[in-house]
Amino acid sequence: MAMMATPPPRTGPLVVQPLKRRHCGECRGGPLSLLVLEEGAPRCLDCADLGHLVFLARGDTALTRRSREESGLSAVVVRFNRRRSRYERQGMLVEEAALARAEARCLADAEARRRRRLRDARRRAVEDVRFTDAFARNILRLFPGCPDDRAWAIAAHASVRGSGRVGRSAAGRALSEAAVASAVRAAVRHTETPYDELLMSGVARHEARRRIASAVEATLATWREGGPAGGGEG
């Protein structure tokens, strides 16, 4: 019988997923999907007294760790990678009851994590509403002529969490006047002027901004003065 390369030593039993057809050197059963090498000769799990264990594939670190903790007997499962010329871990063999207990622990943790995510989401939602409201109030302080609904819409757009917009910059979170004014200017550019149409028609961004600059400034000036919003094409 051909001899197999011996995997590196590990603590506890080591089980191999063979790349070739192998039969047990003791009971002659096979071909074997899993085997144990004893003095270079393959043994099936039953002959190696590991037949009562169940396979747990790698991938879930918490489940693997807890299954090993719960199991009185466990074994690491490896397979030889020819390309890398080394044995690589594929999973573990653990007691079935231990796996069930570990899964129950992980499910309990998953429920706890789900509840924590819900609490965090609710907290962030409240924080976002408060921040958007503060941003809108600062818009109205700087631009008293801006309609209330427009101020809130601008604030909501600028302060979307994770958007990278000015409201989420360091200056925006600090409600600096420059950041608030920048958000208003951008909103006026896109909604009060033909800026977007110019871009869609192929006009370069800097040229499009030049063309609508006077319209943007006229609207901002009107909003600063507190009168009715105005503006027009540049």
Side-chain angles (χ1 to χ4, degrees):
M1 178 180 294
M3 302 293 285
M4 294 181 62
T6 302
R10 302 285 185 94
T11 302
L14 191 67
V15 175
V16 178
Q17 288 182 345
L19 300 179
K20 298 180 180 179
R21 292 169 62 89
R22 298 288 177 178
H23 290 73
C24 178
E26 185 171 330
C27 70
R28 304 301 179 183
L32 304 175
S33 59
L34 295 172
L35 59 85
V36 177
L37 287 174
E38 292 182 347
E39 298 179 353
R43 296 287 187 274
C44 69
L45 296 186
D46 285 333
C47 290
D49 296 328
L50 300 177
H52 63 295
L53 303 181
V54 295
F55 178 65
L56 172 62
R58 66 179 181 180
D60 189 325
T61 303
L63 182 59
T64 297
R65 174 175 53 80
R66 286 172 170 171
S67 295
R68 185 172 57 245
E69 292 171 354
E70 294 281 354
S71 190
L73 176 64
S74 63
V76 174
V77 178
V78 298
R79 182 171 59 203
F80 189 71
N81 186 319
R82 288 197 180 104
R83 184 171 61 84
R84 297 181 177 178
S85 298
R86 70 185 186 193
Y87 280 90
E88 296 180 340
R89 183 171 179 152
Q90 304 301 307
M92 292 191 66
L93 293 178
V94 295
E95 296 167 347
E96 189 169 7
L99 177 57
R101 291 193 296 269
E103 288 173 336
R105 290 171 61 187
C106 288
L107 284 174
D109 278 0
E111 177 60 21
R113 288 194 299 270
R114 185 188 68 82
R115 291 196 299 266
R116 184 167 59 249
R117 286 195 299 269
L118 288 175
R119 290 196 301 272
D120 290 345
R122 287 194 291 266
R123 174 182 53 77
R124 288 193 297 268
V126 171
E127 291 174 352
D128 288 349
V129 169
R130 289 174 178 169
F131 177 70
T132 298
D133 182 66
F135 204 97
R137 284 188 279 104
N138 274 270
I139 291 175
L140 292 173
R141 179 176 61 82
L142 294 177
F143 301 93
C146 177
D148 289 352
D149 59 339
R150 291 284 288 117
W152 200 93
I154 293 170
H157 179 79
S159 60
V160 172
R161 186 182 293 268
S163 65
R165 295 171 186 152
V166 65
R168 284 297 169 180
S169 65
R173 291 195 300 273
L175 296 174
S176 77
E177 291 190 0
V180 173
S182 177
V184 174
R185 182 181 299 276
V188 169
R189 183 185 303 127
H190 287 287
T191 60
E192 311 292 329
T193 77
Y195 178 67
D196 291 353
E197 289 85 345
L198 291 173
L199 294 180
M200 290 299 293
S201 68
V203 177
R205 181 171 61 88
H206 294 294
E207 174 60 17
R209 286 198 176 194
R210 186 192 66 78
R211 294 186 189 183
I212 55 91
S214 60
V216 171
E217 293 307 319
T219 298
L220 293 180
T222 301
W223 284 3
R224 285 192 187 96
E225 294 169 0
E233 295 186 11

